[in-house]
Amino acid sequence: MRLATWNVNSIRARVDRVTDWLLANDVDALCIQETKCKDEQFPFERFEEMGYEVAHVGYNQWNGVAIVSRIGIEDVEEHFPGQPGFAKDPEAEQVMEARAVSAVVGALEPSGPTTLWSLYIPNGRELTDRHYTYKLEWLRKLRDAAAGWLAEDPEVQMMLAGDWNVAPLDTDVWDPEFFVGKTHLSAPEREAFAALGETGFREITREFLPEPHTYTYWDYTRLSFPKDYGMRIDFAYLSPALADRVTGVSIDREERKGQGASDHVPVLLEVTD
């Protein structure tokens, strides 16, 4: 089984690249982030023509997450338990954003069903912004949900994958000094990210790609990609039962090249039956 995650930065703008990549890499299921469209705007037909089913959550032109699978999709959930919402005004209703979707895939596979979560963790914006505290709360609630899933079923096959908007190590960015006083590298963010590992879930990409400067994101400004001013912020936390089945992980840097590329690249997992 081949599982992947990719922040595509607008599915409508990059549907050709995404579908071509799925076919070229023989991917069974892909977690997508930043679709940037409402449900009715998602290009379902393009994926369905290829034999993929789609679960998508999108409320407006911001955020948006999806799962596409050619090994079935069942039991779709739009939010994880306790997922917080956000509004600029702390006194207003905290509106749920399109940042998490789950589906069970592979129910007929020899290894049995696997639950995938496609996650787009809040950016945080600035350390003094309410969006930053929202980000930390979002990660805390996700950690609580993950602990609950494992407590309920220690043998669950589950992947929490996506754009985490956290660089856990200094070597995950091109220049740590550039990020002093900014989000993504602050101690509370890193602690919240690491707390997922305390539940028993394992961040599998680091196990297979431990080397420094293995980036998954390059900004569109400052000639970031040619200069390799990158960040590693796309990860996959797996339940112990699923992590034990992973045989390889790769980051497809080639997908950052060429016209119309996303600022993120796909991360691909090889999973044995």
Side-chain angles (χ1 to χ4, degrees):
M1 183 167 61
R2 308 192 96 192
L3 307 176
T5 182
W6 191 0
N7 179 323
V8 301
N9 192 11
S10 178
I11 188 61
R12 290 178 291 172
R14 299 183 224 290
V15 64
D16 290 341
R17 291 189 71 126
V18 174
T19 53
D20 287 349
W21 186 82
L22 285 171
L23 290 176
N25 291 275
D26 196 28
V27 176
D28 292 301
L30 170 66
C31 296
I32 301 174
Q33 301 85 45
E34 269 204 285
T35 61
K36 292 186 174 179
C37 66
K38 299 177 182 179
D39 287 343
E40 58 266 28
Q41 297 172 314
F42 191 95
F44 289 95
E45 298 81 4
R46 291 291 300 278
F47 293 94
E48 291 166 354
E49 289 169 358
M50 298 164 52
Y52 286 86
E53 297 178 69
V54 180
H56 177 256
V57 178
Y59 305 135
N60 48 44
Q61 74 272 30
W62 307 112
N63 310 316
V65 284
I67 296 169
V68 301
S69 168
R70 66 180 185 186
I71 52 174
I73 278 186
E74 301 175 352
D75 301 330
V76 175
E77 298 286 345
E78 291 195 2
H79 313 296
F80 59 81
Q83 180 178 328
F86 177 77
K88 290 183 179 180
D89 181 356
E91 302 301 321
E93 177 186 359
Q94 303 303 292
V95 180
M96 193 71 70
E97 296 183 308
R99 293 186 176 274
V101 64
S102 76
V104 175
V105 305
L108 299 180
E109 296 297 298
S111 55
T114 299
T115 300
L116 305 182
W117 279 95
S118 181
L119 304 170
Y120 181 41
I121 283 71
N123 176 281
R125 300 176 185 169
E126 297 179 357
L127 298 182
T128 56
D129 197 295
R130 283 196 69 248
H131 208 260
Y132 178 75
T133 55
Y134 165 55
K135 177 181 189 175
L136 297 179
E137 179 67 8
W138 208 95
L139 285 167
R140 280 194 292 268
K141 293 297 186 180
L142 178 61
R143 184 263 176 214
D144 292 345
W149 291 321
L150 273 186
E152 182 178 348
D153 181 5
E155 299 303 315
V156 66
Q157 307 278 331
M158 182 177 289
M159 178 172 82
L160 315 177
D163 176 0
W164 293 77
N165 273 314
V166 178
L169 305 178
D170 282 353
T171 52
D172 290 335
V173 296
W174 60 277
D175 180 8
E177 293 300 317
F178 178 82
F179 292 90
V180 172
K182 301 178 182 179
T183 61
H184 290 57
L185 274 70
S186 71
E189 290 169 283
R190 288 176 163 179
E191 291 166 4
F193 179 87
L196 266 293
E198 298 169 4
T199 67
F201 275 79
R202 288 160 50 189
E203 202 297 290
I204 202 68
T205 74
R206 187 84 66 187
E207 294 184 24
F208 285 86
L209 299 171
E211 62 268 22
H213 309 298
T214 305
Y215 304 138
T216 63
Y217 165 85
W218 296 260
D219 191 83
Y220 290 127
T221 64
R222 301 188 306 273
L223 295 175
S224 293
F225 186 63
K227 294 180 179 179
D228 205 25
Y229 291 173
M231 303 177 70
R232 185 174 186 170
I233 55 177
D234 300 84
F235 298 98
Y237 266 107
L238 273 57
S239 63
L242 183 59
D244 287 342
R245 294 170 50 210
V246 175
T247 59
V249 176
S250 59
I251 293 172
D252 193 348
R253 183 187 173 96
E254 293 299 305
E255 280 301 320
R256 184 60 176 81
K257 298 178 180 179
Q259 186 175 4
S262 171
D263 44 5
H264 293 251
V265 295
V267 180
L268 179 64
L269 281 62
E270 303 277 355
V271 183
T272 184
D273 289 336

